[in-house]
Amino acid sequence: MVDLDVVVVGAGFSGIYAVHAFRSAGLTVKAFEAGDGIGGTWFWNSYPGARCDVESKDYSYSFSPELEQEWSWSERYPAQPEILRYLNHVADKFDLWPLIQLNTRVTGASWDADAAAWTVTTSDGASVTARYFVSAAGCLSEFNVPNLPGLDSFEGPWYHTSRWPKEGVDFTGKRVGLVGTGSTGIQVAPEIAAVAEHLYVFQRTANFAVPNRNRPWRQAEETEFKARYREYREEARQSFLGVPITGTGRPVLAEPPEDVQRLFTQRWQAGGGMPFLGAYTDLLVSQEANDVVAEFMRDRIRETVTDPEVAELLCPRGYPVGAKRLCQSDDYYAMFNRPNVSLVDIRSAPIESVYPGGVKTTTDSYDLDALVFATGFDALTGALFAMDIRGAGGLPLRTAWETGASAYLGVGTAGFPNMFMITGPGSPAVFSNVVLSIEQHVEWVRDCIIWLRAQGHATIEPTSSAQDEWMAHVSEVANATLFPKADSWYVGANIPGKPRVFTSYVGGCGPYRAKCDEVAAAGYAGFALDGLT
Ligand SMILES: Cc1cc2nc3c(=O)[nH]c(=O)nc-3n(C[C@H](O)[C@H](O)[C@H](O)COP(=O)(O)OP(=O)(O)OC[C@H]3O[C@@H](n4cnc5c(N)ncnc54)[C@H](O)[C@@H]3O)c2cc1C
């Protein structure tokens, strides 16, 4: 006797929608969430300045027209507390709380071929069996603290932005060191600088940041997009990034330079990263084209930052714009004009160690009262590997993916029957409006399970050949772009020892959706059913 139809790991955007969708389809389902609240990313990342960088009208669920109409976002890019309130509202509205067990980490899951079921073990010492095991554990949820010698000896407090104390942190009058200048570092820095006695920003790699131009939604705008929300969402589903973007449809290199400057300036003033990189067709495929946009951005840094030496250090070089997640901030660069902010170049003089009173680089020492790590995540695979997942014949997922993650369409992996991943490797997830990708995955998995039951199939798993072909296609598409050309978390470069593989699908959300639908319509082509290929 199997306890449940589906066990879901995690209760962020993915897990919340998964439990709703599966229950609505008549399945018995339970989600386990390690945190003491739901919301995932928006529960854990409560650092000051945390906000989404895809506009809220896109970065929200589309599955319920009623929810869409009743919820009002206050800003273009709402801050973390508002997104968390939204997710709690969703759980209330759809009565999801009975389906979610908080404070419970899934420690392992193993496939029992005889029972055709998963046994899932949890941190409270319990176990439960389920026909299907669905990981909604998040592609950016396993946080990463750099292994700095002496960190244990540091006498002040240190924080990782993804485990921010719920009661907040008061940096007033403190000397604070910030390590990490990616999306999060760029969001948190101006907030700390506003109150700290001094902020030292330790920068290894300069990042490109475009302005948000965040502002409250005007009533008229909200009324306008809500009036055509259904149509708008459909455009988003068919779009490249999960957000409808109007580009010129032409390559930048074929345009008169003055037209290019005019368009980039307009988009810079309008704010947002996706419209900026989507302005021309060749920005993410040709280095020469990318250099045009990179130089435009470097010029904006130079005109914002008054100290030319600091400005030059802040100018990113050596990798294409967009090959690392494009950051967004309205005040990061200008923050360096404050007298209480120093940029410390740890590319030329790396951090050597932490001592009780601060941080020592190869050339200087910085006395600090507190340290903040905005050093990101073990992306895509970290949360999966944190569980002891064992597939057919007891094969650990970590072993199966020793040389890099491999999955068919990003939803399943060979050797792991009846296991599905939401936003798994091989999908466009992190290269899209992630909420839209999440909805598509959840709905595809739900429909697959309904189909399997209707057809009387006990098991499903990708064939190795379909998986290899898909991953070859993922690589081929990526290699035709500039995306793999940076040392980024996209390729695992931020985690020492992680195999360097680019596993995200950058062929676009619309084409990816069409491929997933085609596979389903062909009776789940590329999947073995009941062990038969
Ligand atoms: C600061 C920040 C800002 C972001 N902004 C954007 C944005 O603007 N636009 C965008 O598209 N994307 C953004 N993202 C990406 C974001 O992660 C996704 O948009 C989305 O929130 C992911 O939802 P999820 O449910 O898949 O994963 P998560 O939100 O990460 O949720 C996963 C949950 O699973 C839980 N979990 C993990 N392992 C276990 C386990 N073993 N047992 C039990 N529970 C477990 C975790 O505690 C977590 O609550 C951002 C990410 C970060 C970190």
Side-chain angles (χ1 to χ4, degrees):
M1 182 66 191
V2 177
D3 300 322
L4 291 164
D5 292 323
V6 192
V7 159
V8 172
V9 186
F13 263 104
S14 299
I16 292 170
Y17 183 41
V19 292
H20 173 62
F22 296 155
R23 183 184 58 188
S24 304
L27 302 169
T28 54
V29 56
K30 181 167 184 174
F32 294 102
E33 166 54 57
D36 64 6
I38 61 163
T41 290
W42 303 104
F43 171 82
W44 295 110
N45 292 268
S46 57
Y47 59 86
R51 56 180 72 249
C52 56
D53 57 14
V54 170
E55 290 184 30
S56 52
K57 70 179 191 313
D58 299 291
Y59 192 68
S60 50
Y61 289 124
S62 71
F63 70 84
S64 163
E66 196 182 288
L67 170 67
E68 241 168 29
Q69 292 298 326
E70 77 189 10
W71 184 265
S72 276
W73 293 105
S74 68
E75 298 177 282
R76 251 182 118 179
Y77 301 102
Q80 170 269 334
E82 186 170 342
I83 305 175
L84 188 58
R85 267 201 309 282
Y86 168 77
L87 289 167
N88 277 274
H89 169 76
V90 172
D92 291 341
K93 180 177 173 67
F94 297 100
D95 188 26
L96 305 180
W97 295 106
L99 307 178
I100 301 169
Q101 184 172 324
L102 298 175
N103 293 308
T104 313
R105 179 167 284 282
V106 170
T107 48
S110 57
W111 173 246
D112 176 346
D114 296 333
W118 284 89
T119 302
V120 177
T121 50
T122 47
S123 51
D124 55 358
S127 71
V128 64
T129 53
R131 288 270 168 241
Y132 302 96
F133 176 64
V134 175
S135 173
C139 24
L140 297 171
S141 69
E142 195 66 18
F143 69 104
N144 166 51
V145 179
N147 190 9
L148 294 178
L151 182 57
D152 286 351
S153 74
F154 186 58
E155 280 171 352
W158 65 263
Y159 309 94
H160 189 282
T161 44
S162 185
R163 287 298 178 276
W164 205 256
K166 293 293 173 223
E167 63 283 9
V169 181
D170 184 6
F171 290 119
T172 309
K174 300 270 195 299
R175 296 159 304 172
V176 184
L178 170 67
V179 181
T181 53
S183 292
T184 288
I186 281 176
Q187 285 185 337
V188 76
E191 303 286 331
I192 300 175
V195 295
E197 179 188 310
H198 204 94
L199 173 67
Y200 295 91
V201 178
F202 294 93
Q203 173 189 279
R204 189 173 58 184
T205 308
N207 272 288
F208 292 100
V210 297
N212 275 324
R213 310 291 179 207
N214 192 28
R215 56 175 169 73
W217 280 125
R218 298 181 194 108
Q219 183 64 51
E221 278 171 307
E222 184 180 334
T223 309
E224 198 273 325
F225 72 71
K226 281 190 172 175
R228 55 181 295 271
Y229 229 150
R230 296 287 80 204
E231 205 183 307
Y232 181 81
R233 297 288 203 182
E234 195 43 42
E235 275 173 48
R237 290 187 190 105
Q238 302 312 326
S239 70
F240 199 79
L241 293 169
V243 175
I245 286 170
T246 317
T248 58
R250 296 186 297 274
V252 73
L253 295 175
E255 294 282 278
E258 56 284 8
D259 290 1
V260 171
Q261 287 298 309
R262 196 176 317 113
L263 187 74
F264 280 159
T265 304
Q266 272 166 11
R267 295 204 172 199
W268 187 265
Q269 278 159 0
M274 287 178 172
F276 204 83
L277 289 182
Y280 293 100
T281 53
D282 50 354
L283 297 179
L284 295 167
V285 293
S286 148
Q287 185 60 56
E288 201 188 339
N290 195 276
D291 288 343
V292 178
V293 65
E295 201 46 35
F296 176 88
M297 290 193 185
R298 286 191 282 261
D299 283 344
R300 302 290 76 72
I301 298 171
R302 292 181 190 114
E303 75 188 12
T304 307
V305 179
T306 45
D307 180 331
E309 255 180 58
V310 176
E312 272 325 297
L313 263 181
L314 286 168
C315 282
R317 294 181 192 287
Y319 66 91
V321 183
K324 280 173 174 283
R325 190 177 168 90
L326 184 59
C327 306
Q328 291 184 208
S329 169
D330 286 328
D331 40 14
Y332 178 68
Y333 294 126
M335 174 195 79
F336 288 94
N337 297 332
R338 296 178 65 111
N340 71 330
V341 176
S342 305
L343 183 64
V344 182
D345 175 16
I346 54 168
R347 163 86 45 197
S348 63
I351 294 180
E352 220 172 48
S353 61
V354 179
Y355 57 90
V359 162
K360 188 171 161 17
T361 67
T362 51
T363 53
D364 285 291
S365 292
Y366 299 86
D367 290 341
L368 300 171
D369 302 308
L371 256 175
V372 173
F373 293 103
T375 40
F377 302 90
D378 183 353
L380 297 160
T381 53
L384 285 162
F385 288 168
M387 297 177 271
D388 185 11
I389 300 176
R390 289 170 187 258
L395 179 71
L397 184 66
R398 283 189 212 109
T399 309
W401 287 2
E402 213 157 36
T403 55
S406 185
Y408 181 39
L409 303 174
V411 292
T413 186
F416 295 78
N418 292 9
M419 169 174 144
F420 295 105
M421 292 167 289
I422 309 301
T423 70
S427 81
V430 290
F431 278 91
S432 67
N433 163 11
V434 181
V435 178
L436 182 121
S437 288
I438 286 169
E439 288 189 318
Q440 187 247 338
H441 274 175
V442 167
E443 288 162 13
W444 191 92
V445 172
R446 174 200 62 196
D447 294 349
C448 175
I449 294 176
I450 293 171
W451 182 86
L452 291 167
R453 286 160 67 104
Q455 302 291 318
H457 294 299
T459 68
I460 186 167
E461 72 174 285
T463 65
S464 299
S465 56
Q467 179 166 307
D468 292 348
E469 244 175 72
W470 177 252
M471 291 312 286
H473 175 60
V474 166
S475 294
E476 189 190 336
V477 175
N479 289 335
T481 71
L482 301 172
F483 288 119
K485 301 209 179 329
D487 287 337
S488 66
W489 58 258
Y490 294 140
V491 295
N494 60 327
I495 304 295
K498 193 167 175 173
R500 190 188 169 106
V501 199
F502 187 91
T503 55
S504 293
Y505 183 61
V506 291
C509 291
Y512 170 77
R513 177 181 293 267
K515 171 73 183 171
C516 290
D517 290 349
E518 187 188 301
V519 164
Y524 294 88
F527 286 90
L529 301 166
D530 300 323
L532 304 172
T533 51

